Amino acid sequence: MNIKRRIIIDTDPGQDDAVAILMALASEELEVVGITAVAGNVPLELTEKNSRIIVALSGREDIPVYAGCSKPLGRELVTAEEVHGKTGLDGMELIEPSIPLEDKHAVDFIIETLRENNPGTITLCPLGPLTNIAQAMIQAPDIIERIQEIILMGGAYFEVGNVTPTAEFNIYVDPEAAKKVFSSGVPITVLPLDVTHQVLTTKTRMDKVRNIGNRTGKEVANLTTFFERFDKEKYGLDGAPLHDPCVIAYLLEPEIFEGRFVNVEIETESELTRGMTVADWWDVTDRNPNALFIGKVDSDRFFELLTERLRLLP
Ligand code: RIB
Ligand code: CA
């Protein structure tokens, strides 16, 4: 039996976060040690509630959910209701969460989990702004070297930005947090818009999900039907990028992805390019590489994998 990959999912649900969480909870290769909510797509009181709703939908009510930071380290919160709707999970038939929110703050949970487990055994999977992760590093610098690796959805280079011409939303919301994480020395794998824009929720793909025959398939199809309308109109494509599940798919089948180990710096000074992930793709600077920046994926295999895993849920 292979050793399970033990992960903490840090998230701002968000329909695509919801699909990523479901995919992770369905995958026996992964042990989700906990889910930590952060403010992002919608405010924290909704991202923590939505995290618990998705845990309830998955039937995995053993998974603890913690609420983290309600605003970025040093900026006002920017949210994305125009994409995700007022609740953050518009599209699905909303149920009341059946698990309570944990009392402990998410940042304390991250710190304690890393201190209580052997170094190199906990992977952090941020799917939203990096505020919780950076705050944990600031509060407890000793945990940095204990993190096995960070696999995050965020950033953009050749695909350019989605919230400004140069910045992707997760990094834009809290660029100071991103700068802290990218300069931490922790092994980082980045799933940027460059790759997430290759996994589009086309009708053929999502019909297969809807027709799985379980509640999860129906609700995921309902979630993406709502979520995709914004990007389909914006980009004029026949589907929307399904960002966050790329993190989970990378954990499960890294071989379907391709990337390059490069230096990635975060713009925090200029308001024009705030939150830009400046990837030195052609190694033209003397800055040391610090992240595996993913640029390609086998998108058909991605959706096969996603559908296979969602089939395993109620
Ligand atoms: O830019 C896409 C990212 O921003 C995704 O994680 C989405 O959920 C939003 O948080
Ligand atoms: Ca997200």
Side-chain angles (χ1 to χ4, degrees), residues 12 16-17 41 127-128 170 244:
D12 63 335
D16 60 319
D17 301 69
N41 287 320
L127 310 179
N170 288 340
D244 293 335

Side-chain angles (χ1 to χ4, degrees), residues 12-17 40-41 80 84 127-129 153-154 162 168-170 193 196 227 243-244:
D12 63 335
Q15 290 86 352
D16 60 319
D17 301 69
N41 287 320
H84 299 273
L127 310 179
M153 191 278 136
N162 59 1
E168 177 278 327
F169 178 80
N170 288 340
L193 298 181
T196 69
F227 166 75
H243 306 289
D244 293 335

Side-chain angles (χ1 to χ4, degrees), residues 36-79:
T36 52
V38 67
N41 287 320
V42 288
L44 178 69
E45 58 269 20
L46 284 173
T47 60
E48 68 85 358
K49 181 181 178 187
N50 293 343
S51 299
R52 291 188 288 132
I53 287 172
I54 295 306
V55 165
L57 178 63
S58 75
R60 291 289 314 277
E61 291 166 342
D62 55 307
I63 304 294
V65 173
Y66 302 83
C69 299
S70 59
K71 68 182 291 295
L73 294 183
R75 302 209 183 225
E76 288 311 305
L77 178 63
V78 172
T79 53

Side-chain angles (χ1 to χ4, degrees), residues 119-308:
T121 60
I122 301 289
T123 292
L124 304 182
C125 299
L127 310 179
L130 292 164
T131 316
N132 286 343
I133 311 301
Q135 186 59 35
M137 292 180 171
I138 292 164
Q139 272 179 225
D142 62 288
I143 65 162
I144 293 174
E145 62 185 11
R146 303 179 71 88
I147 301 168
Q148 180 175 16
E149 62 179 315
I150 294 174
I151 302 176
L152 67 89
M153 191 278 136
Y157 191 62
F158 294 104
E159 182 60 40
V160 300
N162 59 1
V163 68
T164 70
T166 55
E168 177 278 327
F169 178 80
N170 288 340
I171 309 300
Y172 176 81
V173 169
D174 199 341
E176 284 71 24
K179 188 179 183 75
K180 176 70 182 171
V181 171
F182 275 75
S183 62
S184 67
V186 174
I188 294 178
T189 299
V190 182
L191 284 298
L193 298 181
D194 301 51
V195 68
T196 69
H197 277 226
Q198 297 172 32
V199 291
L200 301 179
T201 59
T202 63
K203 185 176 182 322
T204 305
R205 288 164 170 167
M206 299 322 292
D207 282 351
K208 285 179 185 166
V209 170
R210 185 178 293 280
N211 297 332
I212 289 174
N214 59 5
R215 179 179 180 189
T216 298
K218 182 167 80 67
E219 293 296 10
V220 164
N222 290 340
L223 285 166
T224 54
T225 299
F226 179 88
F227 166 75
E228 68 185 10
R229 82 211 183 288
F230 185 88
D231 278 350
K232 281 174 74 171
E233 186 184 342
K234 175 177 175 181
Y235 295 109
L237 298 171
D238 63 349
L242 198 52
H243 306 289
D244 293 335
C246 286
V247 169
I248 307 306
Y250 181 83
L251 278 168
L252 298 174
E253 293 190 2
E255 65 275 11
I256 71 170
F257 294 86
E258 283 180 46
R260 187 179 292 187
F261 187 54
V262 296
N263 176 268
V264 179
E265 300 292 334
I266 311 297
E267 174 59 65
T268 56
E269 300 305 321
S270 157
E271 275 313 301
L272 177 64
T273 54
R274 156 194 169 171
M276 181 176 183
T277 46
V278 181
D280 183 5
W281 193 258
W282 300 109
D283 194 19
V284 296
T285 73
D286 57 359
R287 298 194 291 258
N288 294 327
N290 59 342
L292 178 59
F293 202 80
I294 301 297
K296 282 186 185 162
V297 62
D298 174 345
S299 52
D300 288 336
R301 177 58 197 150
F302 170 87
F303 278 97
E304 277 172 12
L305 177 62
L306 171 63
T307 308
E308 282 165 16

